[in-house]
Amino acid sequence: MNLFDLNGKVVLITGSGGGIGLEIGLGLAKSGAHVLLNGRNKEKLESALQKFETQALQASIQPFDVTKPEEISKAVESIIDQYGKIDVLINNAGIQRRHPLTEFPDAEWDEVLNINLKGAFLVAKKTVPFMIKNGGGKIINICSLQSELGRPTIAPYAAAKGGLKMLTRAMTVEWASHNIQVNAIGPGYFITEMTRKLADDPEFDQWIKSRTPANRWGMPEELVGTAVYLASAASDYVNGQIIYVDGGILASM
């Protein structure tokens, strides 16, 4: 079990004030990590932090916008000053916007690409030099089924998540020689704040269940095991992989 021990590890998770990021953070903290919660809304982060404190888990907050390099630099430098390192970076920050492709507002297209794809690049760019100085690290990008599949009305999301898959591989090619393992998790249909309306739609709910061999939606806590694996010594020779946690839906497409 020492392979999965995260005691003493410092983990930064972007977009972790709720949903998948928060659940992964709780899971990593239970494995011994000190989790740094990130988002733009400080009040939301402080509320999330209470969930760690009530369970005597190690965590703190780091509010910053993943699309603003100056904010990222200040936050990363603050983390290094306080903790001396960042062992694991999880690029989870993401948003969704829905419109037919021919009607997609340019500003919303840019917003989705900037947060879901460019944000991962910007945060990793600022973090990796410190990982190299520390002798290595782990980067986990949160991809999606839409890294492989298209769906109507979410073209920029699919473009961003497809790009994140390839960014994961590009990061691997450049950083694996520095003992940095870069991998990704591709969640299937999970019930989160972002998907709650879809899950509450009886027609869509039935469509998801009928297409997913597991015949149900995933729950965010079911991503924890994969995240612990990719954040721990158990995955020290795993590079450039996307692990889909999807109830089998990709296998049935």
Side-chain angles (χ1 to χ4, degrees):
M1 292 303 295
N2 288 338
L3 282 173
F4 302 94
D5 183 12
L6 298 180
N7 277 293
K9 301 296 184 182
V10 177
V11 181
L12 171 60
I13 309 177
T14 67
S16 48
I20 285 173
L22 176 57
E23 289 297 334
I24 287 176
L26 287 166
L28 297 187
K30 289 174 184 177
S31 292
H34 184 107
V35 174
L36 304 173
L37 300 171
N38 160 260
R40 293 180 292 188
N41 187 324
K42 187 176 180 180
E43 291 182 358
K44 187 175 182 180
L45 292 176
E46 289 173 342
S47 177
L49 183 61
Q50 292 178 7
K51 297 184 179 182
F52 290 79
E53 293 174 342
T54 57
Q55 300 179 62
L57 300 173
Q58 299 180 78
S60 54
I61 65 171
Q62 286 290 333
F64 64 84
D65 187 329
V66 300
T67 69
K68 296 182 178 179
E70 290 185 1
E71 289 189 19
I72 298 167
S73 292
K74 289 180 181 178
V76 170
E77 289 169 8
S78 174
I79 293 167
I80 298 302
D81 287 344
Q82 187 169 358
Y83 302 100
K85 60 179 181 173
I86 298 173
D87 296 293
V88 182
L89 166 63
I90 301 181
N91 286 309
N92 172 73
I95 61 167
Q96 180 67 284
R97 298 287 184 264
R98 296 178 182 275
H99 303 281
L101 187 52
T102 55
E103 301 170 17
F104 225 102
D106 292 352
E108 290 189 23
W109 174 280
D110 291 342
E111 183 185 24
V112 173
L113 268 291
N114 284 339
I115 293 175
N116 294 27
L117 178 57
K118 189 176 181 180
F121 157 67
L122 291 175
V123 179
K125 180 181 177 182
K126 299 296 184 182
T127 303
V128 161
F130 296 101
M131 287 185 171
I132 292 173
K133 289 180 182 178
N134 196 45
K138 307 274 187 176
I139 298 175
I140 305 170
N141 296 323
I142 304 301
C143 288
S144 167
L145 285 181
Q146 273 64 55
S147 296
E148 304 289 346
L149 303 171
R151 287 282 300 154
T153 74
I154 58 168
Y157 186 85
K161 292 300 186 179
L164 191 57
K165 176 181 77 170
M166 295 311 300
L167 181 60
T168 299
R169 292 174 177 171
M171 288 176 171
T172 295
V173 171
E174 296 214 15
W175 297 333
S177 63
H178 297 288
N179 191 32
I180 296 173
Q181 292 83 52
V182 187
N183 294 286
I185 299 173
Y189 284 95
F190 280 72
I191 296 180
T192 66
E193 296 170 20
M194 196 162 68
T195 62
R196 172 54 67 183
K197 289 184 179 179
L198 297 176
D200 289 343
D201 179 332
E203 184 177 349
F204 193 85
D205 175 62
Q206 184 55 41
W207 183 83
I208 290 299
K209 290 175 179 176
S210 68
R211 297 301 298 269
T212 304
N215 196 37
R216 64 178 179 86
W217 292 72
M219 301 304 293
E221 57 268 25
E222 292 179 292
L223 295 166
V224 169
T226 306
V228 169
Y229 167 64
L230 292 178
S232 70
S235 61
D236 277 355
Y237 198 58
V238 179
N239 293 80
Q241 302 302 307
I242 296 90
I243 301 177
Y244 289 97
V245 184
D246 66 355
I249 192 169
L250 275 180
S252 69
M253 288 294 186

